[in-house]
Amino acid sequence: MTLFSITDTSDYLNELLSGKTSGTVHSVYRKTINLSIGGTLAALQAKGSPISPISLITTLTSEKMESLEISAGDFVTLKENIITIYRSNRTLQASTDMNSLDNKKEIGFSFEEATIHNLHLLHSLKCTNSLSDTLFHQLHNNIRTCLSNISTGGFEVIFNQRVNDDTSMMLVAAKKKIEQCTRLYRNKEYTETGIELARLIGLGIGLTPSGDDFLCGVLAGLILTGQTESTFAKSLRKTIAEHLNDTVDVSAAFLHCALKGQFSLAVNHLLVNTGCESPQDTSYVKCNPQITPGIANVPAITENFLAIGHSSGTDTLCGILYALELFLFQKCNL
């Protein structure tokens, strides 16, 4: 069996996979092979991919990942920190080298020596000794500045006030829902705000619809603002949890992670964490703590979030910004 290495994963996924023994390939894309192991979704990803709570980052390039000829439905086993995929559609080729990859139906991925990342946002928040009012405003301003210079065709169109006659019906609908929720929140109808905002689940196309990415961002923003026990936050989490089946599987997995406080490395790296002892891979964070102590600078935020999908990263940032703005509005109107 040809064995490849997994270099990075999360402690969240590592714990979820503990005790699991078998599963199947859920879906296959150019840079990602999604596995379903014992009901847990895990993503084998190409080298250099952004790290998420369900990531298993490999040493393979995206081109090499694509050439593996792995198909949805292929059988998967997990034993002693090795994931083995049995390629059901692989036809053995005539070759003098019978040990070549082309002539092996089994491919293994070992995460025995993988770096384990703690991606619980509360962990990163504690490493900054909590955010002061100054840092809240700095984070808000940096995200706002970042989004103003981005054009991915996602939710930043709404937050940059660029909606016009040519804007997609999806974004127009999202804008109306967000405006409705803002009015409800400002009228202190917090339970209704959570219920209505959760209706964005499944809005959009692709592996992670924009509405889902936005909601993940809102959930992150509620942690950053210390509002996880507010009426709005409880209502939002409850409604999202009840409607995870209303979106695609991969996106539901990310929403489930967000409900557990687990977010991508990019979200965690919004906080510079200079004194944190948890693993910090400098290849994924381009921050200069001397510029803005405690908060990632604008170039760092831009680079880290643009690396996440076509618009997934910026849609998540929009959700974080929205939660920050709701919090700042509330503080200003106490």
Side-chain angles (χ1 to χ4, degrees):
M1 178 176 68
T2 301
L3 189 63
F4 300 106
S5 294
I6 292 170
T7 60
D8 297 85
T9 189
S10 71
D11 60 349
Y12 172 77
L13 183 60
N14 194 45
E15 182 177 345
L16 283 179
L17 292 178
S18 177
K20 304 292 194 299
T21 58
S22 65
T24 59
V25 173
H26 176 277
S27 49
V28 180
Y29 299 92
R30 183 168 180 265
K31 296 182 179 181
T32 304
I33 300 168
N34 293 310
L35 311 175
S36 179
I37 302 177
T40 296
L41 203 66
L44 285 166
Q45 294 174 268
K47 179 181 179 180
S49 297
I51 300 175
S52 78
I54 65 171
S55 288
L56 295 166
I57 306 297
T58 72
T59 55
L60 300 177
T61 64
S62 57
E63 290 77 13
K64 190 65 175 177
M65 291 279 286
E66 194 173 17
S67 72
L68 292 179
E69 296 190 32
I70 291 171
S71 305
D74 285 353
F75 186 61
V76 176
T77 60
L78 174 57
K79 183 179 180 181
E80 297 177 352
N81 294 323
I82 295 178
I83 294 171
T84 303
I85 301 175
Y86 298 82
R87 299 184 293 175
S88 60
N89 295 326
R90 183 62 196 159
T91 302
L92 299 186
Q93 303 294 322
S95 172
T96 56
D97 180 8
M98 294 306 293
N99 290 318
S100 69
L101 176 61
D102 285 343
N103 282 279
K104 288 190 173 294
K105 297 192 73 171
E106 302 171 15
I107 299 178
F109 296 87
S110 171
F111 55 96
E112 185 173 5
E113 298 181 1
T115 298
I116 308 296
H117 298 264
N118 187 335
L119 298 182
H120 198 292
L121 191 53
L122 277 178
H123 172 78
S124 294
L125 187 59
K126 287 175 182 176
C127 291
T128 65
N129 298 318
S130 75
L131 295 182
S132 65
D133 285 348
T134 299
L135 291 181
F136 270 130
H137 284 281
Q138 184 67 66
L139 179 60
H140 172 270
N141 292 340
N142 284 9
I143 293 176
R144 169 60 76 182
T145 301
C146 170
L147 288 172
S148 69
N149 296 315
I150 286 175
S151 180
T152 65
F155 272 38
E156 89 282 349
V157 172
I158 299 170
F159 286 83
N160 289 333
Q161 298 182 347
R162 295 173 183 163
V163 175
N164 54 42
D165 292 341
D166 296 324
T167 301
S168 69
M169 292 180 63
M170 182 273 289
L171 288 176
V172 171
K175 178 176 181 289
K176 290 180 179 178
K177 179 56 64 178
I178 291 169
E179 289 174 343
Q180 176 194 9
C181 291
T182 301
R183 290 192 297 270
L184 287 170
Y185 191 90
R186 292 182 175 182
N187 289 331
K188 300 182 179 181
E189 298 178 60
Y190 301 127
T191 298
E192 291 77 7
T193 306
I195 293 171
E196 288 301 320
L197 195 64
R199 294 184 186 276
L200 291 173
I201 286 180
L203 183 66
I205 60 174
L207 284 178
T208 57
S210 289
D212 297 349
D213 294 324
F214 178 78
L215 289 172
C216 283
V218 174
L219 292 169
L222 289 170
I223 293 174
L224 291 169
T225 56
Q227 297 298 298
T228 56
E229 296 305 309
S230 68
T231 301
F232 164 56
K234 290 179 179 178
S235 172
L236 180 64
R237 288 199 305 270
K238 179 177 182 294
T239 310
I240 290 174
E242 292 172 346
H243 291 273
L244 289 177
N245 290 333
D246 292 349
T247 189
V248 295
D249 292 346
V250 174
S251 198
F254 284 120
L255 281 168
H256 181 76
C257 289
L259 290 171
K260 299 291 186 181
Q262 301 283 340
F263 297 91
S264 67
L265 202 62
V267 173
N268 280 269
H269 279 162
L270 287 170
L271 313 173
V272 173
N273 295 347
T274 54
C276 180
E277 295 180 356
S278 64
Q280 298 291 339
D281 185 343
T282 55
S283 68
Y284 290 95
V285 60
K286 311 293 192 298
C287 299
N288 186 339
Q290 283 69 46
I291 296 177
T292 53
I295 299 296
N297 58 39
V298 173
I301 295 172
T302 303
E303 182 174 350
N304 290 340
F305 280 85
L306 280 179
I308 305 174
H310 174 66
S311 67
S312 290
T314 53
D315 291 335
T316 300
L317 264 186
C318 288
I320 295 172
L321 178 67
Y322 185 65
L324 293 178
E325 291 188 339
L326 290 181
F327 177 70
L328 291 173
F329 171 82
Q330 188 176 47
K331 286 195 69 174
C332 292
N333 287 273
L334 289 177

